Amino acid sequence: MATTVFMEALSPTMEEGRLVEWKVPEGTKVAEGDVLAEVETDKAVMELVARADGTLLKHLVAAGATVPVSDPVGVIGEPGEDISGIGGDGGGRGGGGGGEQGGGGGDSAAMTAPGESAAAAAAPPEPVIPAASAPVPPSDGGRVKSSPLARRIAKERGVDLAQVRGSGPGGRIVKRDLEGVTAGVAAPGRPAAGFTDVPVSQMRKAIARRLAESIGPVPTFYLTVDVGMERTWEAREALKAMGPEGKVSFNDIILKATATALRQHPMCNAWWQGTTIRQWHDVHLGMAVAIDEGLITPVIRHADQKTLRELSAEARALAERARARKLTPEEYTGATFSVSNLGAFDIDHFTAVINPPEAGILAVGTIAPRPVAGPDGGLAVERRMRITMSCDHRVIDGATGSAFLKTLRTMLENPLALVW
Amino acid sequence: MATSFDVIVIGGGPAGYVCAIRAAQLGLTTAVVEKEKLGGVCVNIGCIPTKALLHSALVANTIAHDAKDLGIRVDGVTTDYGVAMKRSRRVSEQNSKGVEFLMKKHKIEVIRGHGILEAGKKVRVDKTVYAATKGAVLATGSRVKGIPQAGLTLDGKTIISSDEALFLEKAPTSMAVVGAGAVGCEFADIFNAFGTTVTLIEALPKILPLEDEEAADALTKSFKKRKMTVIAGAKVRKTTLKKGGGATLEVEAGGSTQTIDVEVVLVAAGRAVNTEDMGFEAAGVRLDERGFVEVARETLETTAKGIYCIGDVAGPPMLAHKGSREGIVVAERLAGQTPHPIRYDNVPSVTYCHPEVASVGLTEAACKERKLEYRVGRFPFSANGRARASGTPDGFVKLIADPKYGEILGAHIVGADASEMIHELAVARENELTVEEIDLTIHAHPTLSEAIMEAALDAMGRVVHI
C-alpha cells in the first residue's frame, strides 16, 4: 500500500517549504529514515526523510517548488502500484483545491506579496493529479515509528499514526503524542490543524493585486472607534476591591475582549497567505511590549479560552520575560492577531503597523475623561478611550473590520457582553 | 595545574564522576573536586561494600541452611564478620582505584580538597580559585544521620550508622536496626547471617515502606523465618546507654511499649544532604523547603545561573543510578546538546538483601491513590522450574497493567536475582512495551525470567503454569 510523503513542519514556525533538491530519483528504493530531499524552511535548509520503506514512485512537486506544510510532495510504494488517488488535496496551490474556486486555473501564478519574508514563492502549478479526487489512503502499510502502547491507543481511537508527530527517541510516536488526538481531528491528508485555509477567490485576488500596486506590500486602512469606558472602569474597581488577587489591568480586559470578539469575527483572526487566507480557529494574541532595544510581541496562546485571571497572569509573566530578553521563539511567533497599547504613555490615538502575515492589529489609546453629549442634550464627562484598527485590505474589508470593532466596543461598554 | 576548565564538578561520587567522564567524552575540559576518596559514598561506604558483605551473607546462609540438602557435607561452619569486612574493603578499594583510572584515562583533573562556590561559576579549594567557563556541577551527595529526638544520636560506638557497621571487626551479639528501608533491611540480613540476634524496627506500618506492600510482606515473612524480630509501626521513644556497653530502647508499637536490650543500635532512617559550608549563599544557590538544592527539573540548573546540581543533593530518589543519569544529562547540556529528559517515573529501585526486592513504576497502593484502573498479574517462584532447581523458591513477580492497553504501570519482583530481572521491565516501560510484548518475547527455559512472562500472561487472564 502506497504512502504519501508530506511536506513536514521541520521547525515549529514553518508554514511552507521550498523543495530545493530531490536527493532520490523516482524509482529508487528507500528505507525509513533515508533523506529524500533538501527543503528550505523559514529558518534553514533541512532534510526531509522517508517515513516508510519502499520505492519512491513519484516526485509530486519539482525541485524549486514551494509547498505549504502538510501538502503531499511524493509517493512511496511498490513499483507498479496504482497511485492515482494520491496527492490531490493540496488546498494551497494556485488557488486549486476542489470546489468552485478551482476555476480554470485563473491567476495560476499565485499572488506574491513582495517584501513578505515568509511569503510563498509562486507555487508553480504542478496539477499532477486531478484535485478533489480520492483522499489520501490511511497509511497502515508504511512503517511509522511508534511504541506498541501508542499503536494500541491509536488503533482504539481510529487515529492514523501517519498524521501524528512523534516526540519520542528518533521521532517515535509515544503515548503523550496522542494526548487529545482523536480520529476526527485529522482531516484526510493533513495533520491536526487549528485552522481552515480558505482559497482566495478571483475577486479577492483582484483586490489584493490592485491594492498592493497602489499602497505597498500590505494595503492597509484604518478604523477608529471611540469607546465609553465607565462601566469597564467600575467593573475593574469592583475586582480590585476583592483584594490583591483581583488586580487586573485595563489592557488585560481589552485583550480578553479582543480575543472573545475575534472568535465571533473569524475573518479578522486570519493570515494572508498569498493564495489562501488562513482563518485560525484559535486566538493567539500578540501583545506588544516595549523593551530597551525596541519592541517585541509575545503571544498569549488560546487567549479566548483563558479566564481574565489567567490572561492577566500570563500577560504579566510574558511582559517580564520579554523585558528580560528571555522569550523563546515559540513565545513570540504564531500570533493570529495583535494588540498594541500606548495608553500608559497618554497617547490619545495612533495607528499601529500590522505584523504580517496577520491581517489586523489594534492600537489602543489612553483612557481619559472627555466631554460627551449627555442624554438630555447637555454636556457630560465620561471616561473614554479610542481604539484604532489597522486592517489588511486583502483580508479584511471595511464592513468586516467595522463589525468586529462594533462587537469589541459593545463588550467594553457593557462588560457582561463578554460572556453573553 | 590549570585554573580554568569548561566544567568543574564538586564531588567525585557516582553522579559527579560520571558527569565528568561524559563531559570529557564530549570534548569539554573537566575537573572533579573531591575531598575524600573517588567513587564517593557508593564505592567506599555504600553500594559496593554492602553488596560484597551481602554476598558473604548469602553464601553463609546457603551453606548453613541448604548444604546438606544439596548433597554437600559441612561440619562446623563458622562465620567471621571481620574477614568478610576486610574483603569488602578490598572490593571498595579496587573500585575506587578504578574510578581514579577512569579520571586519568579521560584526562579529568582531580582537585583534592573541599570545594566552595564563589559567585560567577567559580570554585575555591583551599587557596586556589578555579573558574568554570561553561558550568559548575554540585554533586556533593549525602551522609548518615541519627534520630536525636529518640535519643539516637550517633556516637560511633553503641549508636552507629552504616559508616561504622562497614568497619566492625566482628559481628555484635545483638543489634537493633532502626529504619527498615533498603539500608536497614540489607544490614539486618548481613548481621543475621553472621550470627547476630537482629531486631528490625520500622516506624511506618510496613518495612520497605517505598515498595509494594506484597513485597514488604514477603520479606518480613522471610526475615522472621530466619529468626529476626521484625517490629513495624513502631517508634523508638527513649534510648538509654548502658554502663559497660550496649543500649536499652523503649519501643512503642500498637499502643504498647517494650524494652529491647542490644549491644549495638544501627540507625538507618535516612540520610542528610551535604549542603553546608559550600558558599551557596554567595553564589545564589537556594535550597527548597525539604533541604535539597532547588533545581529546574528539566535542566537541573540551580537558582544560580551556570550552576547545576545532580545526585542525592538534588533530590529523591537518592539512588546512585539516578545521580549518574543526571550527571550525563547535565554534561550533555553543557556540551550544547539537548538530551532526552530523565524519566523519573522509571528509575528502578532495588533492595539487595535476600530475597532481593526490585521494582520500577507504581505500587498497587499508588495506583489506588491515583484512582487508576489496573489489573494485577502474579507468578510465584515456587511454580518456576529454575527457582525450584536452584533452591530459591521464595518470592514472586507482580505486574500491574492498565486493563485497556496493557501499559505496564508497575513491576515488582521479590526473589533471587530480582535486581537483574527488573531490567526487562525497566526497558519495557522505557519503550512503552505492553504486557502483550512481554508475552510475545520468547523467554529462555528454564530461567527465573519466565516468571515475568507468566505474570504478564496472568495480567491478561491467561497464565499457563499455575
Side-chain angles (χ1 to χ4, degrees), chain A residues 29-321:
Chain A
K29 266 191 106 156
V30 294
E32 191 185 331
D34 284 353
V35 176
L36 294 176
E38 268 182 7
V39 170
E40 187 186 295
T41 71
D42 55 341
K43 300 237 161 26
V45 176
M46 303 178 88
E47 290 172 344
L48 186 66
V49 299
R51 298 283 174 206
D53 297 332
T55 303
L56 183 62
L57 296 175
K58 195 132 187 67
H59 297 170
L60 289 176
V61 298
T66 299
V67 167
V69 164
S70 76
D71 263 24
V73 296
V75 186
I76 293 175
E78 296 308 307
E81 244 189 282
D82 172 18
I83 52 164
S84 55
I86 296 179
D89 71 326
R93 292 191 285 133
E100 78 285 19
Q101 284 93 347
D107 262 353
S108 62
M111 180 60 212
T112 51
E116 274 192 46
S117 52
E126 181 104 322
V128 182
I129 281 103
S133 58
V136 178
S139 65
D140 51 351
R143 254 185 61 215
V144 173
K145 275 207 268 195
S146 55
S147 76
L149 179 57
R151 283 202 285 278
R152 246 174 224 122
I153 297 173
K155 181 162 175 213
E156 200 236 12
R157 293 190 202 159
V159 171
D160 179 4
L161 282 172
Q163 322 292 11
V164 180
R165 296 216 75 213
S167 66
R172 190 188 308 160
I173 300 171
V174 289
K175 178 182 176 188
R176 64 169 170 259
D177 298 321
L178 291 171
E179 262 156 39
V181 175
T182 55
V185 172
R190 207 168 277 279
F195 53 81
T196 306
D197 279 345
V198 178
V200 171
S201 69
Q202 295 301 92
M203 185 199 310
R204 277 271 139 232
K205 276 192 226 160
I207 295 174
R209 194 176 59 244
R210 304 256 334 278
L211 293 174
E213 282 161 15
S214 83
I215 294 179
V218 182
T220 316
F221 68 95
Y222 309 96
L223 298 169
T224 304
V225 283
D226 190 67
V227 181
M229 291 295 277
E230 283 295 334
R231 291 232 183 94
T232 293
W233 187 283
E234 282 160 22
R236 180 170 173 267
E237 290 295 304
L239 272 182
K240 267 165 65 178
M242 282 187 338
E245 76 273 15
K247 194 145 194 277
V248 297
S249 70
F250 280 108
N251 199 44
D252 296 333
I253 298 172
I254 291 162
L255 289 173
K256 179 69 192 162
T258 305
T260 313
L262 283 170
R263 285 304 295 269
Q264 298 178 24
H265 299 269
M267 199 37 128
C268 295
N269 190 43
W271 284 7
W272 173 255
Q273 303 266 265
T275 53
T276 55
I277 291 168
R278 176 161 297 172
Q279 287 183 13
W280 285 91
H281 300 163
D282 301 311
V283 178
H284 305 307
L285 263 193
M287 177 186 78
V289 175
I291 55 177
D292 281 339
E293 295 77 31
L295 172 68
I296 196 162
T297 311
V299 181
I300 300 174
R301 302 192 69 76
H302 299 285
D304 55 312
Q305 290 175 36
K306 294 189 161 129
T307 62
L308 184 56
R309 202 181 337 195
E310 287 166 348
L311 221 151
S312 177
E314 196 173 329
R316 202 171 325 126
L318 281 171
E320 256 176 57
R321 290 169 61 77

